[in-house]
Structures are given as structure tokens and as C-alpha cells.
Amino acid sequence: RCDLEGLHKIVSLRASVPASVSFWLILDNPTHLKADKVRALSNVRDNYQVNVREYPRNLGASAARNFGLGCSYADWVIRLDDDVLPDLNLFDAYLGATMRWPQASVLVGTTELPPPHNILTQAIVASDIPGAFRVAQRQADPGWGVTANLCVAGHTSRISFQMHYPKSGAGEDMDFCIRAGRYGVIRSVPGAQARHPWWSDGRIEAIWHFLGWAEGGESLCLSEPHLQEHVFFGFPNGVEIVLIRSFILILMTPFAPAETVASLPCLCH
């Protein structure tokens, strides 16, 4: 996206205690009109370093994240998407968590969405689609967290994002966290907060975004061997019961046979 305003806010984050911090911006759209301005963000100042690395073309979210993880020598890596707005105390919240759980493999922050402003966003909230973004406020030891705001073990970890998930991202965060959970605990850090905008600004096009999650990414998790212990069959919910019943009623409804119409030649004089 090359959203300079958002990137400026991310690279301006600071901790209230001494810390050595490197930002890694992975630019996978080098022909963007603002690409040069993104490159110009590179600098070193007061133990905070901003690095810009780029791909010749867009290889997808997993590739960019793996590239950034491979560049870093840090003990901990905070994963932020470029469309989130992190709170100013994000570093302090995660630093405190690393001191409480030094053997953790994943620390899950809180990602807030704006208040609903139309029927669709109200339906999204009612269906609890954003629940995964706020899981840190519900569970102390969640199974996974979204990569919009996540802190993972750094150079000591051997976990990377798998490349067969969709380029735009879907399911790869669940897969990553569950594999990382084999080597350390996963803990919630509700105080590490960031804000995420509504997809497509809450317009009807946002539905395609959610369908892409399910069809293109999260459905792939069902076939992963290491995720089989988390796969189960559940009793149909209310909507599914209504659909199943409607389908059965349609099959049971008798249809009247079509009338046979004979066409006779007519000879006119």
C-alpha cells in the first residue's frame, strides 16, 4: 500500500526503557508512486534503526514476513501489518510480556476495530468475525493470534510462514502459531494494542474479503497434519439447520407432471 502516514507512525514507536530496536519494512511493490518515499524512511537514530528491503515483485504476505524474520537478529520480532495503527505503548507492553514469559514462542496482542457504522459492520460484529482480533482480551493462553499484531520469538526460532497460503494472507497465522506453540507457550498481552480499519471501509465488498479467508486460506488448515487435533465436527447451528430443512422440504415437495401438448398439422384451403 505504501501508506506513508501509517508507516511513519509505526517507525516512530519508542520504548520507555533502553532497548535496541530495528524496523524492517519489506517493500514488495517497488514501482509504486510512493516507493521512493518509503525507501527514504531508512535511517539510524538513538539506537533505533529503520531498514527498507524490497522484492522486485509481490510474492505475498508469507514471503514478505519470512524475509523480514530472516533479516532480523533480534530476540523478539513484533509483527505488524502496514494498515494497523499501533498504540504508543506497544513496545512497553510487549517488553513487559517478554520478561514475564521469557520462554514464550508467541505473544498475542489486541487489535481493535472501529465501532460499527452501518448494517454490514453491525452484522460483522454480531457474527463475531473480529473475535480473533480481540482474543487476547478473552483468553490468557489462546491457540493463535492474527498477524496484524503479534510478537514472536526471533533469531532462536526455526518457524516460518508456509508459502502455499494465499498471497493476500489467510490461515497462515493460525498455522504459524500452532506450529510455534510446540516450542513454547502462547500468551495474551491485551495491553499491546493496535487499531485496524474496516475492510473496504465497511462496504459490501468486504464480504469477498471474508470469503477469501475461508475458501482460499483457512480451509487449507483442515488438511494440515499438525492441525488435525484441532479439527472436529460440530452439530449444525441455527442457520445450517434452517438451510438443511429447507433443502429437504424442496426434495420432498411433489412436482406436477408437465402437460403434454400435441401439435397437429393444419391444412388450410
Side-chain angles (χ1 to χ4, degrees):
R1 279 174 282 256
C2 293
D3 179 3
L4 289 172
E5 182 180 358
L7 293 176
H8 271 295
K9 291 178 179 178
I10 290 176
V11 300
S12 297
L13 289 173
R14 295 293 184 269
S16 63
V17 296
S20 177
V21 178
S22 293
F23 298 94
W24 296 90
L25 306 182
I26 311 304
L27 175 63
D28 60 4
N29 189 4
T31 61
H32 194 284
L33 294 177
K34 297 181 181 178
D36 285 338
K37 293 183 179 180
V38 174
R39 297 183 184 101
L41 294 174
S42 298
N43 67 69
V44 179
R45 183 182 305 163
D46 300 329
N47 222 27
Y48 285 80
Q49 181 176 351
V50 180
N51 308 275
V52 179
R53 298 291 183 269
E54 59 185 87
Y55 280 142
R57 58 189 176 88
N58 188 336
L59 297 178
S62 292
R65 291 165 181 160
N66 288 339
F67 189 24
L69 288 170
C71 290
S72 175
Y73 290 96
D75 297 317
W76 297 91
V77 177
I78 298 175
R79 273 274 317 111
L80 294 174
D81 284 345
D82 63 348
D83 58 349
V84 301
L85 178 61
D87 282 3
L88 296 178
N89 67 342
L90 185 82
F91 282 177
D92 286 346
Y94 275 131
L95 281 170
T98 63
M99 297 175 187
R100 293 192 298 276
W101 302 295
Q103 302 303 318
S105 61
V106 179
L107 301 171
V108 180
T110 299
T111 307
E112 296 283 359
L113 292 169
H117 62 273
N118 58 20
I119 294 178
L120 179 60
T121 52
Q122 290 174 355
I124 292 173
V125 172
S127 65
D128 201 30
I129 289 177
F133 288 77
R134 303 183 62 192
V135 67
Q137 297 182 349
R138 301 181 180 184
Q139 301 178 27
D141 53 349
W144 64 287
V146 297
T147 45
N149 177 18
L150 208 63
C151 182
V152 302
H155 65 92
T156 60
S157 174
R158 296 297 182 267
I159 305 299
S160 60
F161 291 91
Q162 299 202 72
M163 296 293 295
H164 62 272
Y165 287 94
K167 290 174 60 177
S168 57
E172 83 290 345
D173 43 11
M174 186 186 307
D175 174 90
F176 178 95
C177 290
I178 291 177
R179 285 187 292 118
R182 297 174 174 179
Y183 304 98
V185 297
I186 301 177
R187 288 289 183 262
S188 290
V189 190
Q193 298 190 0
R195 282 164 282 173
H196 191 290
W198 286 112
W199 300 273
S200 301
D201 198 28
R203 299 187 300 272
I204 192 66
E205 304 93 276
I207 293 178
W208 298 109
H209 193 89
F210 305 134
L211 291 176
W213 283 355
E215 180 181 5
E218 294 179 359
S219 60
L220 295 177
C221 294
L222 298 176
S223 60
E224 297 286 1
H226 54 276
L227 297 180
Q228 290 306 302
E229 61 182 293
H230 303 284
V231 177
F232 61 92
F233 290 96
F235 190 78
N237 58 36
V239 175
E240 292 168 340
I241 291 174
V242 171
L243 292 175
I244 293 172
R245 183 179 178 184
S246 300
F247 182 70
I248 293 174
L249 289 175
I250 292 173
L251 293 178
M252 295 177 63
T253 302
F255 291 92
E259 295 182 0
T260 302
V261 179
S263 177
L264 298 177
C266 179
L267 182 60
C268 298
H269 294 280

